[in-house]
């Protein structure tokens, strides 16, 4: 039975360039959440896409001698190829250049204008084109963009403004009444103090370039790219069209997953746009930290951009996904290094998880022709292992609901580690030498293989390809009932199951080769 709907989104990426490992982090995290929620019985909808308008894209295309659409078509195809390679299974990919999106943005704008929340005035101020963001003088950091550190441009043009200021009190009340709306807590506090400093009306149209969605009642203006982009979360669901079943079913979103740099747009501008239209607000906006390099930020100009496709090719998709999800504590920044990726793979996946299966399956094959028999009553060591196995799915479920993805992965790792230690403690290789210990030997090996089943189910949202390799080795590939979240009850593996030796799941990486 479905436990209800779960709608999760990623930011829609700018196709100004190819994506790097930092972008992959957000989307892999969202995909893992989506897979996890599906596994635990939710009706999931997972949206990603591309944010294709704006001055920066228009300029980049021009530099390449292409029209904006020619340029973005190629880059967006690259995004989709990257997600395929990372086993990201979204339900929809929205492009802001699609008509289904444009019509919704235009209706949205029109309605806000008709109800008096959008008015015409003149904008004079500072604009960071790479960030597509307006700033006031005092927001700048040493005269430069406070977000990316680049030069800002002075612009002066006739513009439409959105009456954000009118909604500041309502926003503050909402955020106070809904303490989990903005996560983590540090970001929530930042956003509250930002709004308390006084919210200015937002400039929501531009006239000095063309590559955007036209303001319906004044087509020399294009809609500000952030207003255009944020609307994707409902335009993709068919909001305000004849075909709005998805909107009816999935809105409001359960989680907008975004990087910390774009929290202001998602937690202030977007909710106020929705408030103005009297639409329900998303349940949570979660801001994750950044993946940094020892030398600072990743950037094309520094020539230090890490291409996730190269890593997938070298280490396999499961290892790359696991590394990203396990390494970065959710909400904080973390450092990327290929060496850390290799070490994680060796420690957690080769030595612990993969080794648990290879050790236990070879002993089973050697000592009892692979056959699992009924385990006998337990001793203390068994009880401790079983208790941990039974508790772990609950710990994982709780952490995943709070988007503490790395803590969830860590909990699974603890169980696997405990099972490896259990093998050392029970020493089945010694039990095998004594015929009177045959039942004990069977019990020990049964317990370890059952832990392997638990770990594989829980890890499958993180590493979507492990199950298809592990189930045949465990002899349960044709028993789907034993692959489900509900089957995480101890002792489900039936007597007579025949375990086989198979290929090494995660070969060790030679660190000297990095
Ligand atoms: N187009 C806007 C989002 C509009 S959503 C309505 C945008 N695009 S972006 O391509 O610049 O960035 C998308 C996401 O990638 C952001 O959440 C950003 O935080 C994330 N990341 C970019 N570099 C990153 C790292 N190095 N590490 C982690 N995430 C990073 O902003």
């Amino acid at each position: 039975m479905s436990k209800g709907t779960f709608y999760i989104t990623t930011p829609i990426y700018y196709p100004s360039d190819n994506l790097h490992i930092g972008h992959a982090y957000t989307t892999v995290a969202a995909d893992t959440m989506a897979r996890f929620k599906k596994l635990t019985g939710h009706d999931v909808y997972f949206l990603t896409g591309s944010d294709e308008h704006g001055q920066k894209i228009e300029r980049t295309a021009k530099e390449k001698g292409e029209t904006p659409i020619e340029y973005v078509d190629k880059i967006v195809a690259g995004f989709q190829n990257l997600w395929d390679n990372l086993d990201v299974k979204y339900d929809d990919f929205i492009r802001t250049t699609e008509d289904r999106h444009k019509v919704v943005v235009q209706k949205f704008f029109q309605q806000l204008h008709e109800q008096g929340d959008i008015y015409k005035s003149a904008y004079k101020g500072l604009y960071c084109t790479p960030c597509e963001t307006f700033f006031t003088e005092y927001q700048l950091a040493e005269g430069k963009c406070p977000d990316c550190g680049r030069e800002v441009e002075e612009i002066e043009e006739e513009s439409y403004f959105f009456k954000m200021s009118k909604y500041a009190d309502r926003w503050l009340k909402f955020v106070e009444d809904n303490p989990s709306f903005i996560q983590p807590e540090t970001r929530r506090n930042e956003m509250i103090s930002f709004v308390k400093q006084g919210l200015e009306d937002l400039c929501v149209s531009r006239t000095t370039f063309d590559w955007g969605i036209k303001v319906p009642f004044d087509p020399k203006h294009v809609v500000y790219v952030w207003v255009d982009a944020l609307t994707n979360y409902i335009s993709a669901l068919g909001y305000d069209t004849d075909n709005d079943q998805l909107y009816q079913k999935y809105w409001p979103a359960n989680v907008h997953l975004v990087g910390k740099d774009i929290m202001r747009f998602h937690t202030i501008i977007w909710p106020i746009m929705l408030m103005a239209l009297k639409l329900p607000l998303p349940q949570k906006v979660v801001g994750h930290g950044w993946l940094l390099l020892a030398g600072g930020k990743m950037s094309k100009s520094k020539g230090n951009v890490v291409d996730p496709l190269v890593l997938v090719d070298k280490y396999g998709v499961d290892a790359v996904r696991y590394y990203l999800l396990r390494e970065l504590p959710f909400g904080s920044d973390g450092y990327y290094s290929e060496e850390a990726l290799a070490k994680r793979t060796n420690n957690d996946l080769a030595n612990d998880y993969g080794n648990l299966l290879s050790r236990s399956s070879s002993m089973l094959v050697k000592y009892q022709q692979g056959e699992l028999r009924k385990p006998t009553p337990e001793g203390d060591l068994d009880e401790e292992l079983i208790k941990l196995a039974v508790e772990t799915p609950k710990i994982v479920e709780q952490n995943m609901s709070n988007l503490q993805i790395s803590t969830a992965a860590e909990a699974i790792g603890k169980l696997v580690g405990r099972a490896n230690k259990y093998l050392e403690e029970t020493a089945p290789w010694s039990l095998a030498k004594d015929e009177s210990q045959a039942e004990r030997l069977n019990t020990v090996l049964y317990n370890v293989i059952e832990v392997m089943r638990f770990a594989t189910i829980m890890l499958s949202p993180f590493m979507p390809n492990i199950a298809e390799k592990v189930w045949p080795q465990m002899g349960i590939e044709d028993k789907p009932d034993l692959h489900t979240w509900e089957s995480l009850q101890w002792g489900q593996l039936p007597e007579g199951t025949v375990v086989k030796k198979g290929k090494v799941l995660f070969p060790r990486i030679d660190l000297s080769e990095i």
Side-chain angles (χ1 to χ4, degrees):
M1 208 184 65
S2 170
K3 288 196 194 146
T5 56
F6 185 80
Y7 177 32
I8 183 165
T9 67
T10 72
I12 51 172
Y13 299 90
Y14 289 130
S16 42
D17 214 328
N18 293 330
L19 299 180
H20 57 60
I21 193 80
H23 305 111
Y25 171 69
T26 320
T27 302
V28 164
D31 178 70
T32 302
M33 279 304 299
R35 287 175 184 269
F36 182 80
K37 287 288 175 178
K38 240 175 245 172
L39 179 66
T40 51
H42 298 81
D43 174 347
V44 175
Y45 202 74
F46 168 29
L47 177 71
T48 189
S50 48
D51 182 1
E52 305 187 13
H53 293 124
Q55 196 164 0
K56 182 164 182 209
I57 306 267
E58 189 183 74
R59 279 188 193 163
T60 315
K62 209 179 216 163
E63 280 162 25
K64 308 248 176 203
E66 291 174 328
T67 63
I69 197 72
E70 278 168 356
Y71 176 69
V72 293
D73 274 350
K74 277 188 288 191
I75 304 264
V76 170
F79 289 5
Q80 291 171 338
N81 176 51
L82 173 62
W83 303 144
D84 285 348
N85 276 275
L86 281 167
D87 280 330
V88 168
K89 292 260 175 309
Y90 44 78
D91 293 290
D92 195 4
F93 188 103
I94 178 104
R95 298 185 57 176
T96 55
T97 45
E98 287 174 84
D99 283 341
R100 62 171 175 149
H101 173 73
K102 290 187 196 167
V103 292
V104 176
V105 173
Q106 288 185 325
K107 281 197 215 166
F108 209 114
F109 208 91
Q110 177 101 35
Q111 193 183 328
L112 289 177
H113 185 245
E114 279 168 16
Q115 70 190 42
D117 277 339
I118 281 181
Y119 61 93
K120 198 178 203 169
S121 183
Y123 182 81
K124 186 167 186 299
L126 304 156
Y127 195 71
C128 173
T129 304
C131 295
E132 302 283 10
T133 310
F134 299 97
F135 291 105
T136 58
E137 191 91 45
Y138 90 98
Q139 287 174 322
L140 300 185
E142 292 166 12
K144 306 240 167 78
C145 170
D147 288 344
C148 73
R150 280 175 277 207
E151 296 289 340
V152 291
E153 296 174 53
E154 250 194 70
I155 57 174
E156 188 170 355
E157 57 189 83
E158 174 193 279
S159 295
Y160 284 93
F161 284 79
F162 172 42
K163 283 190 187 162
M164 295 262 289
S165 52
K166 175 177 151 189
Y167 292 92
D169 290 341
R170 220 194 285 178
W171 184 91
L172 279 166
K173 177 156 183 358
F174 176 82
V175 171
E176 259 145 43
D177 292 347
N178 295 275
S180 60
F181 174 59
I182 304 174
Q183 291 183 13
E185 184 78 17
T186 46
R187 305 271 165 237
R188 176 172 186 264
N189 297 337
E190 277 170 28
M191 297 302 125
I192 293 175
S193 63
F194 183 86
V195 173
K196 281 189 172 160
Q197 276 167 25
L199 208 49
E200 289 177 22
D201 289 349
L202 178 72
C203 177
V204 288
S205 76
R206 304 285 312 272
T207 52
T208 50
F209 67 94
D210 215 33
W211 181 237
I213 299 177
K214 301 258 179 287
V215 168
F217 47 85
D218 194 349
K220 73 174 188 295
H221 289 255
V222 296
V223 175
Y224 173 42
V225 66
W226 269 101
V227 169
D228 163 352
L230 289 162
T231 309
N232 91 87
Y233 300 128
I234 56 174
S235 68
L237 300 180
Y239 164 72
D240 203 14
T241 66
D242 293 338
N243 197 2
D244 72 348
Q245 301 91 320
L246 289 172
Y247 175 80
Q248 296 301 342
K249 184 166 179 195
Y250 293 108
W251 190 257
N254 296 70
V255 183
H256 289 318
L257 188 59
V258 301
K260 60 180 184 179
D261 53 317
I262 58 174
M263 282 299 263
R264 209 161 8 104
F265 301 96
H266 283 83
T267 62
I268 303 174
I269 300 179
W270 176 229
I272 291 183
M273 285 165 63
L274 292 165
M275 271 176 191
L277 287 185
K278 300 183 184 61
L279 297 178
L281 267 48
Q283 280 177 16
K284 260 186 215 173
V285 180
V286 180
H288 63 73
W290 270 49
L291 203 57
L292 304 171
L293 295 175
K297 269 191 183 177
M298 248 173 267
S299 79
K300 227 186 181 151
S301 53
K302 285 191 192 162
N304 62 358
V305 174
V306 179
D307 182 352
L309 283 177
V310 173
L311 295 178
V312 167
D313 207 36
K314 207 160 156 190
Y315 299 109
V317 57
D318 285 336
V320 173
R321 284 176 63 114
Y322 179 81
Y323 163 74
L324 289 173
L325 299 162
R326 176 67 186 82
E327 201 75 3
L328 214 66
F330 219 69
S332 349
D333 290 345
Y335 284 92
Y336 165 82
S337 82
E338 192 168 334
E339 194 187 347
L341 192 167
K343 282 188 176 159
R344 261 289 163 222
T345 308
N346 283 350
N347 294 341
D348 293 15
L349 303 180
N351 296 354
D352 267 8
Y353 175 69
N355 201 28
L356 188 67
L357 181 63
S358 68
R359 285 169 97 189
S360 50
S361 60
S362 36
M363 285 191 275
L364 265 163
V365 169
K366 189 164 165 201
Y367 305 140
Q368 39 193 68
Q369 294 81 48
E371 195 186 326
L372 291 175
R373 308 188 191 115
K374 206 173 152 62
T376 45
E378 298 115 24
D380 287 351
L381 280 177
D382 311 310
E383 265 172 26
E384 192 198 324
L385 179 72
I386 295 169
K387 189 164 167 264
L388 185 65
V390 173
E391 272 169 8
T392 305
K394 293 177 204 146
I395 300 171
V396 169
E397 199 160 10
Q398 187 175 3
N399 278 300
M400 290 300 273
S401 339
N402 297 325
L403 283 105
Q404 299 290 342
I405 301 182
S406 70
T407 317
E410 192 183 355
I412 308 168
K414 266 195 195 140
L415 173 64
V416 173
R418 187 67 196 87
N420 272 308
K421 190 160 162 248
Y422 170 88
L423 274 182
E424 297 301 322
E425 291 162 343
T426 52
W429 44 90
S430 303
L431 299 173
K433 290 185 190 137
D434 178 353
E435 248 178 53
S436 70
Q437 295 288 341
E439 273 193 11
R440 182 72 195 133
L441 174 66
N442 174 63
T443 301
V444 166
L445 294 176
Y446 180 96
N447 288 347
V448 173
I449 291 286
E450 183 66 333
V451 166
M452 192 66 202
R453 189 177 72 86
F454 270 52
T456 303
I457 293 172
M458 290 187 281
L459 284 171
S460 60
F462 297 75
M463 298 184 282
N465 304 290
I466 51 172
E468 70 202 34
K469 296 179 193 153
V470 172
W471 299 150
Q473 287 195 44
M474 282 181 57
I476 55 167
E477 71 271 38
D478 55 357
K479 297 211 166 62
D481 288 357
L482 297 177
H483 310 162
T484 65
W485 192 260
E486 294 71 43
S487 76
L488 292 176
Q489 294 180 31
W490 192 259
Q492 299 291 303
L493 268 178
E495 259 180 274
T497 302
V498 178
V499 174
K500 301 176 221 28
K501 279 208 272 190
K503 266 180 54 188
V504 172
L505 291 179
F506 291 96
R508 276 187 67 82
I509 300 163
D510 183 352
L511 294 179
S512 66
E513 276 177 16
I514 292 167

